[in-house]
Amino acid sequence: MPKTIVVPEGTQKPIAPYSPGALADGVLYVSGTLPFDKNNDVVHVGDAAAQTRHVLETIKSVIETAGGTMEDVTMNHIFVTDWANYQAVNKVYAEYFPGDKPARYCVQCGLVKPDALVEIATVAHIGKK
């Protein structure tokens, strides 16, 4: 099955061999997204809410570049470094998904850069309504 790589304008070069998004048969897979600036440095160090907002805005840009909206999100995979940040992450997350909520899971783990507090990977169904 052919796929289309999705890279929003102005996206930084990834720190590993992956694409920001891949679209196949109407399903968009958004890679694990960290709170990185254009130099792949962590933004909003120590602020889980601000990092979550940054991550979700980045995910939103991938989805919109592929022709979808946040309402098309069907699954989120959330990774946090500390359960103490869970409430802050959820508060911001709820702003981006105010209606019917996508399926999701959340695990505590280490992330690729120590100052990153949250990472989210997303699946959205945008091609078939």
Side-chain angles (χ1 to χ4, degrees), residues 12 20 45 78 98 112 119 128:
Q12 72 273 19
V45 173
I78 304 170
V112 69
E119 178 175 355
K128 297 179 180 180

Side-chain angles (χ1 to χ4, degrees), residues 1-121:
M1 170 180 310
K3 68 180 176 214
T4 301
I5 299 305
V6 179
V7 182
E9 188 174 326
T11 298
Q12 72 273 19
K13 182 179 178 186
I15 64 171
Y18 66 88
S19 299
L23 180 65
D25 198 27
V27 181
L28 176 65
Y29 302 90
V30 181
S31 293
T33 304
L34 291 150
F36 288 168
D37 65 13
K38 299 296 182 202
N39 299 315
N40 289 317
D41 293 321
V42 176
V43 296
H44 311 294
V45 173
D47 186 340
Q51 285 191 10
T52 301
R53 186 172 312 285
H54 185 89
V55 165
L56 288 168
E57 283 296 322
T58 302
I59 289 168
K60 182 178 175 185
S61 74
V62 176
I63 292 169
E64 289 177 348
T65 298
T69 71
M70 293 297 273
E71 291 180 2
D72 297 319
V73 172
T74 55
M75 179 71 178
N76 284 305
H77 313 272
I78 304 170
F79 307 91
V80 296
T81 58
D82 190 330
W83 289 122
N85 295 320
Y86 188 67
Q87 184 175 4
V89 169
N90 279 330
K91 184 175 181 183
V92 173
Y93 181 92
E95 294 173 21
Y96 285 80
F97 302 103
D100 292 335
K101 309 294 187 246
R104 70 176 231 186
Y105 65 78
C106 185
V107 296
Q108 180 180 331
C109 62
L111 297 176
V112 69
K113 290 198 178 184
D115 287 333
L117 303 175
V118 63
E119 178 175 355
I120 301 174

